[in-house]
């Protein structure tokens, strides 16, 4: 069927192997909504500019609308062996409305057509993912609000470092996903330009109006240079990069959730709805969701690298290599949308074991830095000397099998006479957490400020 439409020069039937390699219909058929939307806008513009008649426009419109309905309802399946979604729909249109259908492709090429369809798809899903990210950030903020006084060991090198609160830890993730959201928004804005009317590569001699089609498709304006436009897949690469970065964040969180739900930590419990069992070990409850989210990150990274590699050596303008742009993007988009939804639901229903987190703070001398800071501040000791004296006190606490926060003033005096009684309260883990009250720090009051700022930002975004 497609041979008739797309190949005036090719007389023999295509080899089945050529078709297996060349046809994109099996995967680009998901673009049918965008393809029809683009064709409707194009036909309306052609009629407006007197390039086709109003009568032809009416026939094309009716035909395309009935095709859309039939695909949606399942009455029309797109597996007629055409090369791609563009040929399949044009073919079907001509079957339905005759000659008017053959006029649709005036002043258009599949090169600007595919660029338009694909951009519409990417922009649509950009909006969907961005919306989901706002909800995810809100979920983090909600958890943070409930835990601004829940102590846990903050870590570096996965070793206990300084006491922080769990709300603060959640706000770190809220900040990461906020940046992801902003990246999606900026990609949307940068790429919201219409490729339609660029034709094969150089524009067209027909008196078209690209502003008209841009406007009716929801783009801000037409693109500047047609040669660039039909060669450009940056919008798809940006989508892949934004998804890869977002999934990288999700993967880091997943790693923590997996650790925290282990018996060694026991800091959180995933709801039974979000855990799976083992086929042989009846006692097991496995964190499959965060494990899969961690793994999906590899897959979306692969999609990004694959398209970067496809594009890297291509001369201008369109090359068939570029047909390889779609499957990875569809896959990453699907993966991203499912992943954010699952993560959001799982976080909303996870339980936090405050006691276990608090207990963990009694290991690792988390407030040691506070003692060193005290010696510097109150005793005028050079920091390096204070650091060494604190080290001695930590060793002493270890010899007693105690955490530094459990030492009495008498015990402290055994190592140094320089220490006053008020140090004991200072070494308390909560006091230590609240002492870090510099801007952006973990102190409860600072965490609350961060939550308020993030809530305000969420309100602003929601009202846009
Ligand atoms: N199926 C093609 C793709 O996805 C459409 C563009 C074809 N253009 C061409 N000149 N062969 O890239």
């Amino acid at each position: 069927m497609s041979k008739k439409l797309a190949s005036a020069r090719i007389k023999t039937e295509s080899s089945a192997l050529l078709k297996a390699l060349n046809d994109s219909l099996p995967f680009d058929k998901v673009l049918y909504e965008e393809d029809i939307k683009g064709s409707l806008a194009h036909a309306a513009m052609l009629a407006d500019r007197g390039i086709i008649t109003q009568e032809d426009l009416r026939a094309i419109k009716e035909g395309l609308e009935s095709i859309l309905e039939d695909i949606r309802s399942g009455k029309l399946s797109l597996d007629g062996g055409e090369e791609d979604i563009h040929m399949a729909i044009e073919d079907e249109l001509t079957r339905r409305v005759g000659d008017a259908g053959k006029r649709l492709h005036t002043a258009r090429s599949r090169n600007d057509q595919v660029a338009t369809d694909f951009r519409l798809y990417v922009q649509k899903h950009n909006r969907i993912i961005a919306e989901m990210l706002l909800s995810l950030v809100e979920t983090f903020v909600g958890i943070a609000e409930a835990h601004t006084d829940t102590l846990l060991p903050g870590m570096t090198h996965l070793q206990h470092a300084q006491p922080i609160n769990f709300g603060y830890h959640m706000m770190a993730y809220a900040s990461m996903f906020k940046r992801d959201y902003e990246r999606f928004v900026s990609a949307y804005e940068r790429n919201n330009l219409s490729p339609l009317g660029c034709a094969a590569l150089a524009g067209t001699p027909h008196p078209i109006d690209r502003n008209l089609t841009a406007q009716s498709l929801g783009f801000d304006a037409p693109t500047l240079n047609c040669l660039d436009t039909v060669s450009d897949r940056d919008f798809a690469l940006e989508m892949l990069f934004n998804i890869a970065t977002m999934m990288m964040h999700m993967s880091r969180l997943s790693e923590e959730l997996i650790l925290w739900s282990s018996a060694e930590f026991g800091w959180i419990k995933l709801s039974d709805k979000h855990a799976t069992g083992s086929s042989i070990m009846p006692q097991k409850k496995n964190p499959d969701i965060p494990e899969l989210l961690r793994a999906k990150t590899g897959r979306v990274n692969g999609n990004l690298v694959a398209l970067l590699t496809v594009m890297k050596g291509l001369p201008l303008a369109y090359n068939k290599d570029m047909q390889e742009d779609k499957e990875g993007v569809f896959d990453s988009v699907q993966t991203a949308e499912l992943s954010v939804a699952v993560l959001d639901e799982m976080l909303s229903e996870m339980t936090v074991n405050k006691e276990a987190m608090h207990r963990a703070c009694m290991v690792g001398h988390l407030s040691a830095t506070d003692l060193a800071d005290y010696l510097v501040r109150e005793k005028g000791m050079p920091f390096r000397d204070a650091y060494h004296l604190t080290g001695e006190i930590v060793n002493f606490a270890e010899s007693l099998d105690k955490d530094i926060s459990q030492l009495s003033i008498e015990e402290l005096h055994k190592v140094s006479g320089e220490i006053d009684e008020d140090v004991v309260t200072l070494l308390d883990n909560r006091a230590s957490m609240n002492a870090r009250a510099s801007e952006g720090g973990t102190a409860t009051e600072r965490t609350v400020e961060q939550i308020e700022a993030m809530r305000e930002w969420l309100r602003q975004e929601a009202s846009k």
Side-chain angles (χ1 to χ4, degrees), residues 129-139 177 181 340 344 457-458 461-462:
I129 297 172
E131 204 53 44
M132 296 177 86
L133 277 170
L134 281 185
S135 154
L136 183 66
V137 170
E138 185 140 20
T139 299
F177 289 108
Y181 169 86
V340 184
D344 202 348
W457 176 79
L458 281 168
E461 287 309 309

Side-chain angles (χ1 to χ4, degrees), residues 22 24 27-28 83-86 109-111 114 233 318-320 322-326:
N22 186 55
S24 54
F27 53 85
D28 69 14
E83 189 182 322
D84 57 26
I85 184 65
H86 324 295
S109 152
R110 274 188 297 163
N111 298 350
V114 72
R233 291 296 180 269
Y318 179 85
N319 300 269
K320 196 58 176 260
M322 289 160 73
Q323 181 166 284
E324 286 293 311
D325 59 358
K326 287 172 210 62

Side-chain angles (χ1 to χ4, degrees), residues 112-144:
D112 60 334
Q113 192 178 357
V114 72
T116 303
D117 293 4
F118 197 30
R119 204 181 280 233
L120 284 172
Y121 171 93
V122 166
Q123 294 292 79
K124 176 169 113 191
H125 287 278
N126 176 307
R127 280 283 143 113
I128 293 173
I129 297 172
E131 204 53 44
M132 296 177 86
L133 277 170
L134 281 185
S135 154
L136 183 66
V137 170
E138 185 140 20
T139 299
F140 279 111
V141 172
I143 302 173

Side-chain angles (χ1 to χ4, degrees), residues 4 83 109 111 116 143 149 199 263 272 300 312 328 345 354 431:
K4 269 196 287 170
E83 189 182 322
S109 152
N111 298 350
T116 303
I143 302 173
D149 195 37
D272 281 357
V300 300
K312 78 172 217 341
E345 188 184 278
K354 289 189 191 191

Side-chain angles (χ1 to χ4, degrees), residues 157-230:
H157 312 266
L158 201 61
Q159 305 288 323
H160 289 203
Q162 292 175 348
I164 59 173
N165 72 72
F166 190 58
Y168 183 64
H169 201 114
M170 290 294 98
M171 288 308 292
Y173 282 107
S175 305
M176 285 149 86
F177 289 108
K178 170 179 181 274
R179 281 197 299 279
D180 290 331
Y181 169 86
E182 289 165 342
R183 255 187 293 276
F184 279 101
V185 170
S186 97
Y188 184 92
E189 287 169 355
R190 185 169 30 265
N191 292 304
N192 204 36
L193 301 171
S194 174
L196 200 55
C198 278
L201 73 162
T204 168
H206 295 284
I208 60 168
D209 183 348
R210 293 188 61 207
N211 279 296
L212 205 58
T213 45
Q215 210 180 28
S216 63
L217 291 172
F219 290 116
D220 297 329
T223 55
L224 184 68
N225 176 288
C226 290
L227 183 61
D228 168 48
T229 302
V230 292

Side-chain angles (χ1 to χ4, degrees), residues 332-397:
S332 282
V333 162
Q334 236 175 36
T335 302
E337 290 174 4
L338 179 61
S339 299
V340 184
V342 168
L343 177 64
D344 202 348
E345 188 184 278
M346 184 181 69
L347 288 173
S348 311
E349 295 182 33
M350 118 193 142
T351 8
V352 175
N353 187 342
K354 289 189 191 191
E355 289 66 40
M357 288 184 181
H358 288 183
R359 260 197 315 279
C361 290
M362 299 312 286
V363 180
H365 313 286
L366 296 179
S367 52
T369 319
D370 296 79
L371 178 55
D373 286 339
Y374 161 86
L375 293 168
V376 169
R377 202 174 55 241
E378 302 297 330
K379 300 291 162 187
M381 211 180 261
F383 178 78
R384 197 48 68 200
D385 293 343
Y387 169 92
H388 286 299
L389 177 55
T390 304
E392 275 177 51
I393 292 172
V394 165
N395 284 336
F396 179 63

